[in-house]
Amino acid sequence: MSPPLGTATRDRLRIAIQKSGRLAEPARKLLAACGLSWRESRDKLFCYGESLPVDLLLVRDDDIPGLIADGVCDLGIVGRNELDEQAGARARIGLPQAYRALRGLGFGQCRLMLAVPEEWDWTGPDQLRGQGTRIATSYPAILGNWLDAQGIDAQVVELSGSVEIAPRLGTAELICDLVSSGATLAANHLKPVENLLDSEAVLAGPASGFDDARAGLAQMLLRRVDGVLQLKERKLLMFNAAQEALPALERLLQDAGPLVRLPGSNGVLSLQTMCEGAVSWQQLEDLERAGARGLMVLAVERSLA
Ligand code: PRT
Ligand code: ZN
């Protein structure tokens, strides 16, 4: 049976992730790649950690910062936009910071942008000064802070969704919303003009660390997350070559890691190096022309720095 959610169990770590939506699948994949596995409860809201004492709580993304602030969850995977918005809202009413982003996770990328009707000739934020402009957004704290920093007293119209139709409905002239491809803005005859925030999914935790068994678990998880993130684009390149081909091969591989020489036979060296990013066919063919033989590119599955 799942433990009661309000009482933090101090010897297990509890991570909040989105139940469904853009971040749900990649968050689960990341945690699975960190070696976690779970048993799902019948209500599908709580997953009991089987491989490690790390449980999942499946919730709406908007709830994740609050669950960390209240100590119901220890960590959470949430968009930086959501975390910064709720942190900003807390700060604006004088509450202390309750959480922080521990790692950027490289998925869920988007930008929080100010967008204006296509026909506007945008010359910069100064254009809004003294106009009494109304801006619709689901991010009133981030927008409010940005307007304050620019010294603009526009009116913030808070909406919980469908922000992009506000100009057509006449509830606001401008909007401030998340943009990834830009298709939604274009479909609503709006254009992005100012970037308020570059966002991605982050692993968030409490502003102060843990002082019990969860500290070790959180540290281990962070180390594994770092390992998984680093591996994403790393490839091990292996090949053989004669000694005299080495200078040319080293020139071609100057962006890769150190070239490791393994014991070979008959004067042929066995070589390997770690490459950041994909290794293209073109690179392999160049290496072959320079004397490399038996070229092999291998995905790295696990590594501890
Ligand atoms: O049910 P729950 O509350 O958990 O989900 P949700 O509907 O609030 O969130 P969801 O799943 O839509 O988004 C979760 C997180 O994904 C966001 O908080 C962002 O961190 C991230 N993300 C990445 C995005 C987008 N890209 C995105 N494009 N969130 C929303 N959008 C929306 C945007 O609001 C706009 O309506 O997509 C539209 C724009 O997309 P483009 O491609 O047309 O520009
Ligand atoms: Zn949401």
Side-chain angles (χ1 to χ4, degrees), residues 199-217:
S199 185
E200 63 175 331
V202 297
L203 181 67
S208 52
F210 308 106
D211 53 7
D212 49 35
R214 292 172 299 169
L217 284 169

Side-chain angles (χ1 to χ4, degrees), residues 18 60-62 82:
Q18 205 186 13
R60 291 198 57 187
D61 66 341
D62 321 49
E82 198 58 55

